[in-house]
Amino acid sequence: MNLVVVSNRVSRGKANEPMTGGLAAALLPVVEKSGAIWVGSSGRVRDGAQKEPFAEIEALGEGALAMLDLPAAHYGGYYEGFANSALWPALHSRTDLIRASQEDYLSYREVNAFMARALLRFQKPDTAFWIQDYHFLALGAELRDLGVVQPIGFFLHTPWPARAVFGGVPHHRELVEAMLAYDLIGFQTEDDCENFLSYVRSDLGLAARDGVVTSRHGSSRVAVFPIGIDPEKFAQQAAKAVSHPDVSRLRRSLNGEKLAIGVDRLDYSKGLPNRINAFDRMWTLQPGLARAVTLLQIATPSRGAIEAYGNLQNDLAKQVSDVNGRHGEVDWTPIRYLNKGFSQTVLAGLYRTAQVGVVTPLHDGMNLVAKEYVAAQNPADPGVLVLSKFAGAANELETALIVNPHDIDGMARTIAMALSMPLNERKLRWEAMMKKLRGGTIQQWFADFVDALQETQADRDSGEPLIADPVIWPPQPANLNARYH
Ligand code: F6P
């Protein structure tokens, strides 16, 4: 089988590339080894990209990385607009933050259609397409529209919200209907899967039995594939990284105090204000913990052109400065707050140095930082993970200290508990989490999804029609408004 993997963001596999968990970092090691072609955005836009969309095609491990310049006229409406100002907030249950115009929707659809046309270059009889994430909900339907009959799978890295919440997205029905052109739809957790199926039954009135939805496209299998990491590799990387100059400098700068670490994209779904409030509360309620622990919070700027992100960045800067002003001493800064990205190597070393990892999102598909923090620990003296119950990772890492990120006092107490946890308990909790990580690696995730996608091909060969009806949308890009009502 010839696999073509598609995502908006790709990774070029450069050692010092800044990373904060996420899809691109997770996919890199497995895609490299699989021999797949990985297609994504080059990060640049161009007018006239329609003629020759591929800016670069380069070798990547056993396969290739193909990067496209996306159409300049539609990029803003697609990325900052519909993908990140309508879908992202809705998928993270923040319908109050939905801001998207009809033009944004048209641009989103246009970029999906553009990507579909570009992908034809890699289509062979034995090709299977695996589309990643919310940027490309409609890409499968666009490919079908162009006559592609090969298996097409989709995996969502974010949560899928309660059915009424997704109903807040403009054109939600059209989008989910388009998603049903995928043969296989993968989610991170059972809850996501259930929410999606409930939407499909209630809002589209379709039959969904045993995880198979029957629509006018044929049948789509809906299943859970929790994404993992390579824990052994990450552990080795962390053990080596403790001697990295940045990590050594951090260690030397700690005057005997313990270190708690948070590493997140600067995003409202990550619950950063609540986390800062919890530390504030902890230092207020337990003044003895002043100087005993410092929080290193890395908040990598993200999607800065979107108002909600700019506001969050300003608010957080003020909040951190207020907490530091109230609790700090001439020789102690309670929160070290950094707005930049770090390479995976440095992050691995930082995780290993921290006695507590705080991963407290309000909503998160999986959160690979949680898994990386665990894998990075020294087995002889592991740190403690404080984990939100709203991160997908909480379903697996049950022996973390699980918190409700809305309960500030509860979080404050739990962080204090983590700081004083005896070695024996830390080891028991950590070993149980490592076992989970070893049982669900990124390699296994990749193989399970690809196997399941191939099975859809077998169903197809056995005569089950996957495309029951003609395509939904006319293939001509002209007259967009008429095309997507
Ligand atoms: O959570 C889904 C996800 O694709 C992550 O993998 C990634 O961190 C983020 O969303 C994408 O962010 P960006 O807009 O920076 O590509």
Side-chain angles (χ1 to χ4, degrees), residues 8-9 20-24 79 84 88 92 133-135 157-158 265 302-303 364:
N8 176 66
R9 193 176 288 279
T20 327
L23 168 171
Y79 179 77
N84 285 312
W88 181 272
H92 292 85
D133 234 356
Y134 63 99
H135 307 86
H157 292 257
T158 71
R265 257 183 332 99
S302 173
R303 307 172 192 168
D364 218 330

XYZ file of all heavy atoms in Angstrom, residues 8-9 20-24 79 84 88 92 133-135 157-158 265 302-303 364, ligand 1:
190
model
N -2.083 19.885 8.077
C -1.770 21.278 7.775
C -0.303 21.555 8.092
O 0.459 22.026 7.272
C -2.676 22.200 8.581
C -2.323 23.648 8.373
O -2.477 24.176 7.285
N -1.802 24.295 9.402
N 0.087 21.252 9.336
C 1.472 21.511 9.750
C 2.283 20.228 9.607
O 1.796 19.144 9.951
C 1.502 21.985 11.202
C 2.822 22.566 11.638
C 2.732 23.088 13.048
N 1.950 24.311 13.169
C 2.418 25.537 12.905
N 3.667 25.708 12.525
N 1.641 26.594 13.042
N 6.171 21.881 20.572
C 5.424 21.802 21.835
C 4.434 20.671 21.680
O 3.257 20.881 21.496
C 4.644 23.102 22.110
O 5.388 24.188 21.595
C 4.412 23.308 23.575
N 4.916 19.457 21.787
C 4.034 18.305 21.600
C 3.377 18.422 20.237
O 3.999 18.861 19.267
N 2.101 18.066 20.182
C 1.325 18.305 18.968
C 1.562 17.273 17.876
O 2.475 16.461 17.929
N 0.706 17.426 16.887
C 0.607 16.468 15.802
C 1.904 16.318 14.989
O 2.353 15.198 14.739
C -0.552 16.958 14.951
C -0.976 16.533 13.600
C -2.305 17.163 13.322
C -0.014 16.851 12.524
N 2.503 17.445 14.611
C 3.652 17.371 13.711
C 4.811 16.620 14.389
O 5.439 15.746 13.779
C 4.083 18.764 13.291
N -7.171 29.438 7.724
C -6.415 29.077 8.932
C -6.847 29.892 10.152
O -7.312 29.343 11.153
C -4.905 29.247 8.667
C -4.058 28.912 9.878
C -3.826 27.587 10.241
C -3.503 29.912 10.678
C -3.080 27.265 11.366
C -2.752 29.611 11.797
C -2.538 28.286 12.140
O -1.803 27.980 13.253
N -9.499 28.076 12.853
C -9.097 28.417 14.221
C -9.989 29.433 14.925
O -9.764 29.710 16.111
C -7.629 28.856 14.231
C -6.721 27.652 14.080
O -6.902 26.645 14.770
N -5.777 27.717 13.148
N -11.921 25.384 15.901
C -11.136 25.172 17.131
C -11.926 25.533 18.396
O -12.036 24.708 19.319
C -9.797 25.910 17.063
C -8.958 25.710 18.284
C -8.991 26.457 19.429
C -7.992 24.677 18.513
N -8.096 25.952 20.356
C -7.469 24.856 19.811
C -7.513 23.612 17.736
C -6.485 24.029 20.361
C -6.532 22.782 18.279
C -6.031 22.991 19.572
N -13.339 22.788 21.242
C -12.903 22.888 22.640
C -14.007 23.505 23.513
O -13.730 24.098 24.555
C -11.586 23.676 22.729
C -10.457 22.906 22.103
N -10.206 22.948 20.754
C -9.563 22.031 22.632
C -9.191 22.135 20.481
N -8.788 21.572 21.597
N -6.767 15.847 11.231
C -7.206 17.018 11.978
C -8.264 17.921 11.335
O -8.593 17.812 10.171
C -5.990 17.841 12.412
C -6.016 18.082 13.924
O -6.997 17.687 14.568
O -5.066 18.681 14.447
N -8.696 18.888 12.162
C -9.872 19.702 11.883
C -9.689 20.668 10.728
O -10.656 21.257 10.253
C -10.249 20.479 13.161
C -9.167 21.447 13.613
C -9.254 22.799 13.319
C -8.038 20.988 14.300
C -8.251 23.676 13.719
C -7.039 21.848 14.700
C -7.149 23.192 14.402
O -6.149 24.054 14.777
N -8.444 20.825 10.263
C -8.236 21.724 9.115
C -8.856 21.143 7.846
O -9.117 21.864 6.905
C -6.737 21.910 8.859
C -5.976 22.353 10.058
N -5.473 21.481 10.992
C -5.646 23.585 10.492
C -4.862 22.151 11.938
N -4.958 23.437 11.667
N -7.323 15.133 16.066
C -6.409 15.234 17.216
C -7.024 16.000 18.387
O -6.495 15.962 19.486
C -5.089 15.887 16.772
C -4.301 15.004 15.844
N -3.199 14.294 16.259
C -4.480 14.681 14.539
C -2.727 13.586 15.245
N -3.483 13.807 14.183
N -8.096 16.727 18.127
C -8.752 17.515 19.185
C -9.929 16.710 19.751
O -10.283 15.672 19.200
C -9.326 18.826 18.606
O -10.450 18.493 17.784
C -8.301 19.594 17.796
N 1.144 25.337 24.215
C 0.928 26.427 23.276
C 0.077 27.453 23.996
O -0.754 27.100 24.838
C 0.144 25.932 22.056
C 0.985 25.708 20.833
C 0.202 25.299 19.615
N -1.017 24.608 19.915
C -2.224 25.177 19.929
N -2.376 26.458 19.636
N -3.301 24.472 20.209
N 1.094 31.423 19.757
C 0.415 30.642 18.744
C -0.714 31.486 18.162
O -1.373 32.228 18.904
C -0.144 29.425 19.488
O -0.963 28.640 18.705
N -0.929 31.417 16.871
C -2.096 32.046 16.209
C -2.323 33.491 16.676
O -3.448 33.896 17.001
C -3.348 31.212 16.505
C -3.156 29.745 16.148
C -4.288 28.868 16.587
N -3.908 27.472 16.468
C -4.591 26.459 16.988
N -5.696 26.682 17.646
N -4.169 25.221 16.837
N -8.720 19.024 26.059
C -7.581 18.659 25.220
C -7.819 17.280 24.616
O -8.298 16.383 25.319
C -6.290 18.626 26.055
C -5.108 19.175 25.280
O -5.117 19.028 24.040
O -4.191 19.751 25.905
O -4.473 19.632 18.885
C -4.463 19.581 17.527
C -3.289 20.267 16.930
O -3.173 19.967 15.569
C -2.010 19.970 17.643
O -1.475 18.817 17.194
C -1.194 21.184 17.388
O -0.433 21.469 18.495
C -2.218 22.242 17.115
O -3.450 21.647 17.018
C -1.996 22.924 15.805
O -1.510 24.142 16.045
P -1.031 25.091 14.893
O -2.169 25.999 14.615
O 0.117 25.788 15.511
O -0.636 24.238 13.742
